[in-house]
Amino acid sequence: MSGGEVAGILVAVFWAILVSFLAVALARLAQTLRATTKLVADVTEQAVPLLADASTAVRSAQTQIDRVDAIASDVQEVTSNASALSTTVASTFGGPLVKVAAFGYGVRRAISRKAGPEAGEVPAKSSRRTVIVGRTVPSARQKKRDTRNKRD
């Protein structure tokens, strides 16, 4: 065999080895592609029902949100009606009740002053109080307030 024939055989052997490696790589690539195709098909098979369920859940949630919105608007309307009713009652009965309370207080105080000295009792130290719409300021606080006003 001559040198050219040996070189040709070596090139043919290397070419056969290279083609073998390429065939093995292509076979593995084909297996990988088949597995990937199967995986994608399985995922699609499972994802379609999941997406349908998710869509149903979203629709149900939207219905519930619409109901809650309606309830919230009704509550807001009831609250505004209650506020208006409260204002109406306060303006209707508030003034006359304050006047009746003041009249009762004045009558009670006049009777206690009139009955006290005539009955021979020692008049108790009068506790001076100031009535401020539903609140009573004790006399000790009133004295402090009076001393502050005198200084000013």
Side-chain angles (χ1 to χ4, degrees):
M1 281 211 279
S2 70
E5 291 176 344
V6 172
I9 291 177
L10 284 176
V11 168
V13 168
F14 285 123
W15 185 255
I17 292 172
L18 178 65
V19 168
S20 300
F21 281 126
L22 286 175
V24 169
L26 285 174
R28 288 190 181 175
L29 180 63
Q31 286 177 348
T32 305
L33 286 175
R34 270 186 248 127
T36 304
T37 303
K38 186 178 183 238
L39 179 66
V40 167
D42 290 344
V43 166
T44 302
E45 202 173 287
Q46 292 176 2
V48 170
L50 287 176
L51 289 174
D53 291 345
S55 177
T56 304
V58 167
R59 280 191 211 106
S60 174
Q62 182 63 37
T63 303
Q64 295 299 326
I65 288 173
D66 292 341
R67 288 180 184 170
V68 168
D69 189 35
I71 291 169
S73 65
D74 290 344
V75 167
Q76 183 179 9
E77 185 178 338
V78 167
T79 302
S80 65
N81 288 344
S83 176
L85 179 65
S86 170
T87 303
T88 303
V89 167
S91 65
T92 303
F93 296 112
L97 284 178
V98 169
K99 290 177 183 175
V100 167
F103 178 74
Y105 175 73
V107 169
R108 190 174 60 237
R109 190 158 179 185
I111 291 173
S112 68
R113 283 189 181 174
K114 187 175 183 184
E118 290 178 0
E121 298 176 1
V122 177
K125 183 178 178 184
S126 67
S127 173
R128 184 175 175 205
R129 295 178 178 239
T130 303
V131 177
I132 302 173
V133 187
R135 292 190 178 169
T136 303
V137 179
S139 59
R141 291 177 66 191
Q142 183 65 35
K143 288 178 184 175
K144 288 180 184 176
R145 211 180 269 168
D146 289 342
T147 57
R148 287 184 196 152
N149 291 337
K150 289 178 184 177
R151 283 188 231 156
D152 290 340

